[in-house]
Amino acid sequence: MNRFISGRRKMRVTLKDVAREAETSVAAASATLSGKPSGNMRISEATRQRVIEVAARLGYVPNPIARSLTTGRTGVLGLVFPYVDAFVDRNPFCSMLMNGVFTEAIQDSYNMMLYTVRDGFWAGKHKIDPRVDGLVLALPASDEPLLLRCRESSFPCVAIVCAPQPDPVMTVNADDYQGGLLATKHLLDLGHKRIMMLHGGDLVSTNQPRLDGYRKAMQDAGMQVTPDLVVRAGFDWRPGFEAMTTVLERPQSEWPTAIFAVNDLCAAGAIRAIKAKGLSVPEDFAIVGFDDTWFSTTTQPMLTSVRMPIKEMGALAARMLASEVNGKPPTERHPVLPVSLTIRNSCGASTQVPALEFPES
Amino acid sequence: MNRFISGRRKMRVTLKDVAREAETSVAAASATLSGKPSGNMRISEATRQRVIEVAARLGYVPNPIARSLTTGRTGVLGLVFPYVDAFVDRNPFCSMLMNGVFTEAIQDSYNMMLYTVRDGFWAGKHKIDPRVDGLVLALPASDEPLLLRCRESSFPCVAIVCAPQPDPVMTVNADDYQGGLLATKHLLDLGHKRIMMLHGGDLVSTNQPRLDGYRKAMQDAGMQVTPDLVVRAGFDWRPGFEAMTTVLERPQSEWPTAIFAVNDLCAAGAIRAIKAKGLSVPEDFAIVGFDDTWFSTTTQPMLTSVRMPIKEMGALAARMLASEVNGKPPTERHPVLPVSLTIRNSCGASTQVPALEFPES
DNA sequence: GTGAAAGCGCTAACAG
DNA sequence: CTGTTAGCGCTTTCAC
């Protein structure tokens, strides 16, 4: 009997079993079953059939661990996620990104290992895990040790929503600059002059281009961006709330009339602050967010927001990584995906959105 | 030079390198570094130090693949998720569950492999992957082939939000029955008599106990549950919308005055249908949902909902699995976690919720 | 055409 | 107390 217990795991049928049963060599069995007649090795149709039949009969499943040890490939891609609790639970951004990465990875027959990172357990602590062939890094900062480590050792990886990286690191980004431009222009077009930006701080790569886009639009319109118009908030709800609360403590004459928030959660926080003061959106303040996930439809009023193709970005990243790992490096190694503006009710512009909307993703 | 290219991956420092450099045997090096003086093997403090020093100097990192091959253990847990696109993106249930599982797994120094399953690629296609030591199965149905396969081969696994399973499969559930009871009683207490349940269909395990709880509460209150009060909807937004729309096409005299929806998404759909008819909640219909994630706070009005400790359930599942895998089988193999009722504005009951609420998870 | 043999990097027996 | 040896299951030269 060739099934026995080792440790606490039932041993499965091995290639040796198949070879013995099919009265041939392990090598031949391997060659047939892995489909690649390696080297100058050809298998006669007779043994081929026998091996295949026996393998099926015995229920042989190759052991990916053993295979990895010899081939140096695992067929697994890693996804590194730095985001924590509340942020993940509430921001569809994360699940949409994951969704994209996974959908594509499955298509390319890759499995996914997920590395999340939380308080006190940052990516810096992560070593490159040889159990994955490559990594998708959704790290917001471009100086993460893990990212640097990948670069140094030329480990296949693609950084997503992260500042441009030197080769061989690939990147996938949305056109944040254009997004900032679009958002601000929209507010400008509606006649606003004092437009404030609630930004996310310089630890997150996507912040700067959005801010640059904002500045450019303002400048093009001949508006001056005084320091009081650029207020530090963050990419989550609470910092948006707190920053806006602070702004509303200024004399009313110094208030902006419109706000461009660095993302939707931040915008939602700002809206809460505004409501808490007994004021309202869009009557007292117009506000534009960024991301345009279905979250944007849950606020009151629903958010006008810059749309990023999040799921597509995840899928693209996975596809690029799979190509790289398979030795077909993608030609476009730093794609920047286009953004657009979804107009809802938070700016007072006439809406394009049907009254009854089921966000599909 | 012991670093060279094999295939396309830079070979890392191996144990052999360390042993040679430290002038000792591979076995000794292994024993020191893995911390377990295996068998009757003890290492002299001298070589111990030397090995450790050399390992550090060479930047030795053990290869988990090789280790797995010999030990039969991988240090990886798998999470199987059947849910698809829109549902995942919009329902915090999924990310909260993941969050719980991951947080706990990390604490126990396990890595996580994620298997998602989507249209045309069901769990039935999954083989048990020997690269994981155990599986958390978030499969809603109890007859999933993968689940059966685990049971047959005694592969360590815990099914979450799934009907009770025969040993050795472990399960983690919320008290759905009690939830149905609580929700319905709340509506009863508010004076409702015609209470309808929008249920999710019998393909999902949690549906039945919720329905049973509903029936029991009605029965205890002396209300008759006529067939027209039990309407098939689903666990997503659209089926809730469609089912409610159908109900509203009945003569008004046959309308319910209150609704218990099988989950929050379903409830939200129902609310949309009600609004689409020009009616409102809670004035025309009281409605209770199930899950009580922060999603419940995004509807208008905010949902009264049965709270499940979702994240805790995920964490518990991971912890139980880790124990099992480590040879310390948990004594409680089928925990049922308590639920409670969070009262908001969808039933017209006086609310307990602060006006300005930042859901933390 | 085919099979024997040498590893991949590590651990766990077993002698010394 | 230590080192030698034998695999884990698979792929891949390389002789036959």
Side-chain angles (χ1 to χ4, degrees):
Chain A
M1 212 48 198
N2 51 31
R3 293 158 182 256
F4 55 97
I5 304 291
S6 151
R8 41 182 315 292
R9 177 73 42 84
K10 215 178 276 174
M11 291 314 262
R12 318 195 317 171
V13 182
T14 109
L15 201 53
K16 201 156 77 180
D17 299 327
V18 175
R20 185 173 357 84
E21 193 77 6
E23 295 174 307
T24 181
S25 71
V26 187
S30 169
T32 354
L33 293 173
S34 60
K36 312 158 199 153
S38 75
N40 50 356
M41 171 163 201
R42 224 157 290 164
I43 314 292
S44 73
E45 196 50 29
T47 50
R48 242 188 77 75
Q49 290 304 333
R50 232 179 320 125
V51 167
I52 291 179
E53 184 270 325
V54 169
R57 180 155 53 78
L58 264 47
Y60 169 74
V61 180
N63 181 333
I65 299 178
R67 179 175 293 180
S68 296
L69 193 56
T70 60
T71 59
R73 303 273 313 272
T74 63
V76 179
L77 263 26
L79 174 58
V80 182
F81 240 93
Y83 305 106
V84 291
D85 295 337
F87 189 76
V88 171
D89 291 344
R90 189 175 310 131
N91 196 348
F93 177 91
C94 302
S95 51
M96 289 173 73
L97 188 63
M98 264 187 42
N99 202 328
V101 172
F102 274 74
T103 304
E104 185 61 33
I106 288 178
Q107 222 112 52
D108 300 346
S109 350
Y110 275 95
N111 276 117
M112 294 288 322
M113 195 98 116
L114 200 55
Y115 304 89
T116 49
V117 184
R118 22 187 40 88
D119 328 292
F121 194 87
W122 286 97
K125 302 223 173 170
H126 280 306
K127 309 257 175 262
I128 293 176
D129 186 344
R131 284 173 301 193
V132 300
D133 290 337
L135 284 174
V136 175
L137 300 168
L139 300 170
S142 48
D143 61 345
E144 281 284 351
L146 183 56
L147 188 51
L148 301 177
R149 218 168 280 151
C150 285
R151 182 157 77 226
E152 280 165 13
S153 53
S154 295
F155 190 80
C157 80
V158 30
I160 201 163
V161 291
C162 185
Q165 297 290 317
D167 260 343
V169 175
M170 301 180 285
T171 57
V172 171
N173 276 290
D175 194 341
D176 292 297
Y177 176 77
Q178 180 67 17
L181 215 57
L182 279 179
T184 312
K185 272 197 173 141
H186 179 64
L187 294 169
L188 252 7
D189 288 347
L190 290 169
H192 291 280
K193 299 195 188 324
R194 287 190 56 77
I195 302 174
M196 178 178 85
M197 170 145 185
L198 287 176
H199 75 271
D202 47 10
L203 292 177
V204 177
S205 305
T206 51
N207 188 65
Q208 195 59 45
R210 293 180 193 182
L211 191 50
D212 291 343
Y214 158 79
R215 285 187 192 282
K216 180 66 163 59
M218 292 290 274
Q219 181 188 318
D220 285 357
M223 304 290 160
Q224 218 194 335
V225 178
T226 51
D228 62 303
L229 288 180
V230 177
V231 175
R232 161 83 191 245
F235 283 78
D236 205 346
W237 201 322
R238 188 154 256 135
F241 176 78
E242 281 160 4
M244 191 64 208
T245 301
T246 309
V247 169
L248 292 176
E249 282 163 1
R250 298 178 188 166
Q252 188 164 350
S253 59
E254 294 174 19
W255 288 359
T257 65
I259 299 147
F260 167 40
V262 74
N263 77 347
D264 287 341
L265 260 57
C266 178
I271 291 179
R272 291 232 176 184
I274 291 166
K275 287 185 178 171
K277 268 284 202 213
L279 300 166
S280 63
V281 177
E283 289 75 12
D284 300 299
F285 298 93
I287 182 160
V288 179
F290 207 112
D291 278 359
D292 191 37
T293 63
W294 80 275
F295 176 86
S296 332
T297 68
T298 67
T299 56
Q300 279 290 327
M302 297 199 286
L303 280 169
T304 289
S305 185
V306 177
R307 163 153 297 214
M308 296 206 307
I310 303 174
K311 188 177 170 187
E312 287 71 16
M313 291 169 69
L316 182 56
R319 202 171 324 131
M320 287 165 60
L321 188 56
S323 298
E324 179 91 346
V325 163
N326 289 328
K328 316 187 218 309
T331 47
E332 177 55 275
R333 301 177 67 83
H334 302 280
V336 173
L337 276 63
V339 299
S340 59
L341 189 69
T342 301
I343 298 177
R344 294 200 185 78
N345 318 317
S346 63
C347 298
S350 61
T351 175
Q352 313 165 323
V353 180
L356 186 65
E357 181 192 29
F358 283 107
E360 291 304 338
S361 66
Chain B
M1 211 48 197
N2 51 31
R3 292 159 182 254
F4 54 98
I5 304 289
S6 150
R8 41 183 315 293
R9 177 73 43 83
K10 216 178 274 173
M11 289 316 260
R12 318 192 318 169
V13 182
T14 116
L15 201 53
K16 200 154 79 180
D17 299 327
V18 175
R20 183 173 359 84
E21 194 78 6
E23 294 173 310
T24 180
S25 72
V26 186
S30 170
T32 22
L33 293 174
S34 61
K36 312 158 199 152
S38 78
N40 49 359
M41 172 166 199
R42 224 156 290 163
I43 313 293
S44 73
E45 195 50 30
T47 50
R48 241 188 78 75
Q49 290 304 335
R50 230 176 324 123
V51 167
I52 290 178
E53 184 271 322
V54 170
R57 180 156 52 77
L58 264 47
Y60 169 74
V61 180
N63 181 333
I65 299 178
R67 180 177 291 182
S68 295
L69 193 58
T70 61
T71 59
R73 304 273 313 269
T74 63
V76 179
L77 262 28
L79 174 58
V80 182
F81 241 93
Y83 305 106
V84 290
D85 294 335
F87 189 76
V88 171
D89 291 342
R90 189 177 310 132
N91 196 348
F93 177 90
C94 301
S95 52
M96 290 173 74
L97 188 63
M98 265 188 43
N99 202 329
V101 171
F102 274 74
T103 305
E104 185 62 32
I106 288 177
Q107 222 113 49
D108 301 346
S109 358
Y110 275 95
N111 277 116
M112 293 287 321
M113 195 100 117
L114 200 55
Y115 305 89
T116 49
V117 184
R118 22 188 40 88
D119 327 292
F121 194 88
W122 286 96
K125 301 222 174 175
H126 281 306
K127 308 257 175 263
I128 293 177
D129 187 344
R131 284 173 299 195
V132 300
D133 290 338
L135 284 173
V136 175
L137 300 169
L139 301 171
S142 48
D143 61 346
E144 282 285 351
L146 183 56
L147 188 51
L148 301 177
R149 219 168 278 150
C150 285
R151 184 157 78 224
E152 280 165 13
S153 53
S154 294
F155 190 80
C157 79
V158 32
I160 203 164
V161 292
C162 185
Q165 296 291 316
D167 261 343
V169 175
M170 301 180 285
T171 58
V172 171
N173 276 288
D175 195 340
D176 292 295
Y177 176 78
Q178 180 67 19
L181 215 57
L182 279 177
T184 313
K185 272 197 173 139
H186 180 63
L187 294 169
L188 253 5
D189 288 348
L190 292 169
H192 291 281
K193 298 195 190 324
R194 285 190 57 78
I195 304 174
M196 180 179 82
M197 170 146 186
L198 287 176
H199 74 272
D202 47 9
L203 292 177
V204 178
S205 304
T206 51
N207 188 65
Q208 195 57 47
R210 293 180 193 182
L211 191 49
D212 292 342
Y214 158 79
R215 285 186 192 282
K216 179 66 161 65
M218 291 292 273
Q219 180 188 320
D220 285 357
M223 304 290 161
Q224 219 193 332
V225 178
T226 51
D228 62 303
L229 288 180
V230 177
V231 175
R232 162 82 191 246
F235 284 77
D236 205 346
W237 201 323
R238 187 154 258 137
F241 176 78
E242 281 160 5
M244 191 64 207
T245 301
T246 308
V247 169
L248 293 175
E249 282 163 1
R250 298 178 189 168
Q252 186 164 351
S253 60
E254 293 173 20
W255 288 359
T257 65
I259 298 146
F260 167 38
V262 74
N263 78 348
D264 285 342
L265 260 57
C266 179
I271 291 179
R272 292 232 175 184
I274 291 166
K275 288 186 178 171
K277 269 284 202 212
L279 300 166
S280 63
V281 176
E283 290 75 11
D284 300 300
F285 298 93
I287 183 161
V288 180
F290 207 113
D291 278 359
D292 191 35
T293 63
W294 80 274
F295 176 85
S296 333
T297 69
T298 66
T299 55
Q300 278 292 325
M302 297 200 285
L303 280 169
T304 289
S305 184
V306 177
R307 163 153 297 217
M308 296 207 305
I310 303 174
K311 187 176 171 188
E312 287 72 16
M313 290 170 67
L316 182 56
R319 202 171 325 130
M320 286 165 59
L321 189 55
S323 298
E324 179 91 344
V325 164
N326 290 328
K328 316 186 218 310
T331 47
E332 177 55 275
R333 300 176 67 84
H334 302 280
V336 174
L337 277 64
V339 299
S340 59
L341 190 71
T342 302
I343 297 177
R344 294 200 185 78
N345 317 318
S346 62
C347 299
S350 59
T351 176
Q352 312 164 325
V353 180
L356 186 65
E357 180 193 30
F358 282 108
E360 292 303 339
S361 67

